[in-house]
């Protein structure tokens, strides 16, 4: 069976032999070592069989000795297929070109659809997409991943709260949720402004109400700063009371740390994936980096509306270098202060500012520099408290 398969690859012909010497012809061919298969008698003096195409000259020579008629009824195998293809090269080339063009068109962006955005925001999104190379006529293989597009749109356009990117065939669909404009505040009920925490008053801006404290006064939580009882009637006290408050924050810095940076060297490989098999196209060399970061993107091919089991894979290998940083005590102190300050700023209310800092305690223990810092902060300490009237 295996031998027959190889014979079919190299070319097989089906021969019909007619005449009294048909059997003697077949016997001679077998004695000459020619492979024959599927020998059948189709009539009294009619025989048929299959033989390698390359043995046809030997058949023609043997026919002269046995006075038989031969006729070739079938031809199969690569040589005959190639000959037929050469005779129809124009048709085949046109067919292949048509499939290639159709495949390219099926993997091109022909429509960018933006849903949920107002005209002004949509214009900003279109402009930002063009800066990223996303517009009609662009091949999808060379565009950024949807996650990266979403991140960049969210960073660059303040008007959107959420954005989703989806590819649907040749359509790039952008789903947008815009930020809602803040509604007008409802009328305030009568209230006092009281201290939200202990502080020393630094500045006061009173719009409505009666001031109950002065600058440089120390106030405790719940103490009335601006009274809503003014002129014999209850009003909604309004204003800003800036006070100096205090926060204690701790930080730890390793005296020796390792960090990884990109060296700038990289290697890029391109491949076509058929089901689970990857065929390298460009970038065959093996990376030589000891430390590396690998980025891999895979984009499937489409044909009209169908997703094919074929993908384009781009793999980028970047060389990284590991560096060790050793801090001096002064450097560790400075880094610890900066860390403590960033941590505090992330927790402070909007508008609050750090006025000064003071290290309360520091020590070096088991290769770690530890410090405790006291920060003076200027912030609005006024909060509303309703006035209950009978």
């Amino acid at each position: 069976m295996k031998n027959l398969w190889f014979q079919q690859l190299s070319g097989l012909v089906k021969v019909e032999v007619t005449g009294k010497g048909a059997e003697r012809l077949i016997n001679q061919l077998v004695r000459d070592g020619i492979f024959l298969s599927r020998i059948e008698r189709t009539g009294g003096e009619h025989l048929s069989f299959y033989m390698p195409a390359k043995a046809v000259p030997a058949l023609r020579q043997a026919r002269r000795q046995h006075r038989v008629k031969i006729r070739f009824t079938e031809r199969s195998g690569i040589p005959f297929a190639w000959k037929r293809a050469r005779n129809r090269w124009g048709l085949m080339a046109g067919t292949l070109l048509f499939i290639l063009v159709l495949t390219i068109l099926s993997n091109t962006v022909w429509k960018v659809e933006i849903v949920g955005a107002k005209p002004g925001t949509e214009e900003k999104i279109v402009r930002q997409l063009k800066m990223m190379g996303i517009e009609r006529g662009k091949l999808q293989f060379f565009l950024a991943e949807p996650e990266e597009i979403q991140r960049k749109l969210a960073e660059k356009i303040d008007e959107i709260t959420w954005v989703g990117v989806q590819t649907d065939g040749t359509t790039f669909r952008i789903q947008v949720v815009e930020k809602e404009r803040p509604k007008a505040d409802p009328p305030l009920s009568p209230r006092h402004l009281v201290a939200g925490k202990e502080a020393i008053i630094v500045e006061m801006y009173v719009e409505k109400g009666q001031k109950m404290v002065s600058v440089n006064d120390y106030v405790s939580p719940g103490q009335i700063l601006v009274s809503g009882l003014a002129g014999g009637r209850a009003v909604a006290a309004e204003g800003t009371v800036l006070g100096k408050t205090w926060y204690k924050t701790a930080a730890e810095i390793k005296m020796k740390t390792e960090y990884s940076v990109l060296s700038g060297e990289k290697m890029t490989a391109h491949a076509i994936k058929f089901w689970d098999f990857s065929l390298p196209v460009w970038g065959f060399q093996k990376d030589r980096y000891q430390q590396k970061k690998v980025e891999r993107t895979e984009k499937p091919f489409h044909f009209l509306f169908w997703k094919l089991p074929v993908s384009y894979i781009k793999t980028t290998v970047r060389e990284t270098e590991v560096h060790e940083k050793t801090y001096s005590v002064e450097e560790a102190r400075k880094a610890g202060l900066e860390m403590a300050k960033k941590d505090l700023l992330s927790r402070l209310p909007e508008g609050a500012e750090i006025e000064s800092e003071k290290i309360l305690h520091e020590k070096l223990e088991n290769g770690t520099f530890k410090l405790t810092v006291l920060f003076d902060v200027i912030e609005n300490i006024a909060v509303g408290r309703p006035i209950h009237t009978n």
Side-chain angles (χ1 to χ4, degrees):
M1 182 63 68
K2 184 176 181 181
N3 191 31
L4 179 60
W5 186 78
F6 279 113
Q7 294 289 345
Q8 287 177 332
L9 282 181
S10 60
L12 277 179
V13 294
K14 182 178 181 181
V15 184
E16 288 188 357
V17 183
T18 304
K20 295 181 179 180
E23 291 184 2
R24 292 193 297 272
L25 172 68
I26 291 176
N27 292 333
Q28 181 177 340
L29 293 175
V30 173
R31 286 195 300 270
D32 292 341
I34 298 174
F35 176 79
L36 304 181
S37 62
R38 287 182 278 182
I39 301 173
E40 295 179 358
R41 183 178 293 278
T42 57
E45 296 180 350
H46 298 274
L47 293 174
S48 67
F49 56 87
Y50 287 83
M51 67 180 296
K54 62 183 180 181
V56 170
L59 171 66
R60 295 185 187 278
Q61 186 176 359
R63 180 184 66 85
R64 299 190 187 99
Q65 302 175 14
H66 298 284
R67 299 181 180 275
V68 293
K69 295 181 180 180
I70 61 173
R71 186 165 66 96
F72 300 101
T73 58
E74 289 183 23
R75 294 173 176 84
S76 61
I78 292 178
F80 298 108
W82 175 247
K83 185 176 181 181
R84 287 192 294 268
R86 282 192 304 171
N87 293 336
R88 302 175 184 176
W89 68 270
L91 177 62
M92 292 194 63
T95 302
L96 291 175
L97 182 61
F98 172 75
I99 293 173
L100 177 62
V101 171
L102 197 56
T103 301
I104 292 174
L105 295 178
S106 300
N107 292 276
T108 301
V109 177
W110 291 114
K111 184 178 181 182
V112 178
E113 187 177 277
I114 301 174
V115 181
K118 296 177 181 177
T121 306
E122 182 174 340
E123 184 179 347
K124 291 183 179 180
I125 293 174
V126 170
R127 189 162 54 246
Q128 189 61 40
L129 289 174
K130 286 184 177 179
M131 292 176 63
M132 291 188 282
I134 301 169
E135 55 185 327
R136 289 184 61 185
K138 296 291 185 178
L139 281 174
Q140 297 182 19
F141 304 119
F142 306 111
L143 302 181
E145 291 295 309
E147 294 78 10
E148 184 178 351
I149 298 172
Q150 291 172 190
R151 179 180 58 80
K152 287 187 177 180
L153 289 177
E155 288 177 355
K156 299 292 184 180
I157 303 175
D158 295 332
E159 287 82 358
I160 59 179
T161 300
W162 177 86
V163 59
V165 178
Q166 181 182 8
T167 54
D168 184 10
T170 60
T171 300
F172 238 82
R173 185 170 289 107
I174 314 293
Q175 184 76 35
V176 177
V177 176
E178 290 200 49
K179 293 179 180 177
E180 293 185 4
R181 294 183 177 179
K183 298 179 181 179
D185 295 330
L188 295 173
S189 302
R191 67 175 187 176
H192 299 303
L193 291 181
V194 301
K197 55 188 68 177
E198 63 175 342
I200 295 177
I201 304 300
V202 176
E203 293 183 49
M204 296 186 69
Y205 307 94
V206 178
E207 298 177 26
K208 290 183 182 180
Q210 180 67 40
K211 287 175 33 174
M212 303 299 292
V213 293
S214 303
V215 173
N216 295 327
D217 285 354
Y218 170 83
V219 296
S220 55
Q223 183 176 341
I224 296 177
L225 306 176
V226 181
S227 174
L229 299 174
R233 62 191 182 91
V235 298
E238 293 184 47
T240 301
V241 181
L242 298 180
K244 180 187 290 186
T245 57
W246 306 272
Y247 292 85
K248 188 185 293 186
T249 306
E252 296 184 358
I253 299 292
K254 295 286 186 182
M255 299 300 287
K256 287 186 178 182
T257 58
E258 288 187 351
Y259 60 96
S260 178
V261 296
L262 298 176
S263 69
E265 294 291 327
K266 69 176 183 178
M267 300 174 67
T268 303
H270 306 269
I272 301 297
K273 180 181 177 183
F274 302 90
W275 288 273
D276 295 327
F277 172 74
S278 293
L279 177 65
V281 176
W282 189 262
F284 305 101
Q285 67 272 30
K286 187 176 181 181
D287 69 84
R288 57 188 180 278
Y289 308 136
Q290 293 183 348
Q291 304 287 338
K292 59 191 174 182
K293 178 183 179 183
V294 180
E295 300 171 359
R296 184 177 184 273
T297 58
E298 180 175 342
K299 294 183 180 294
F301 282 85
H302 293 82
F303 186 79
L304 297 178
F305 305 105
W306 297 283
K307 180 178 178 181
L308 303 177
V310 183
S311 302
Y312 161 72
I313 299 176
K314 178 182 178 182
T315 305
T316 303
V317 183
R318 303 180 189 274
E319 183 184 29
T320 61
E321 297 176 347
V322 178
H323 296 268
E324 185 180 87
K325 169 70 174 175
T326 302
Y327 288 96
S328 65
V329 172
E330 184 60 33
E331 289 173 332
R333 183 183 296 113
K334 184 177 180 180
L337 277 172
E338 194 65 29
M339 181 184 294
K341 187 178 293 186
K342 287 183 179 179
D343 176 60
L344 177 59
L345 286 172
S346 68
R347 296 185 283 114
L348 287 177
E350 185 178 355
E353 296 181 358
I354 296 176
E355 184 183 52
S356 61
E357 68 270 347
K358 179 182 179 181
I359 297 178
L360 300 179
H361 179 72
E362 64 178 42
K363 66 176 179 178
L364 181 59
E365 183 179 32
N366 297 328
T368 302
F369 187 80
K370 302 178 180 180
L371 73 164
T372 304
V373 187
L374 179 66
F375 289 97
D376 293 342
V377 175
I378 305 300
E379 61 179 305
N380 183 17
I381 62 170
V383 295
R385 189 175 72 187
I387 299 174
H388 300 289
T389 58
N390 296 327

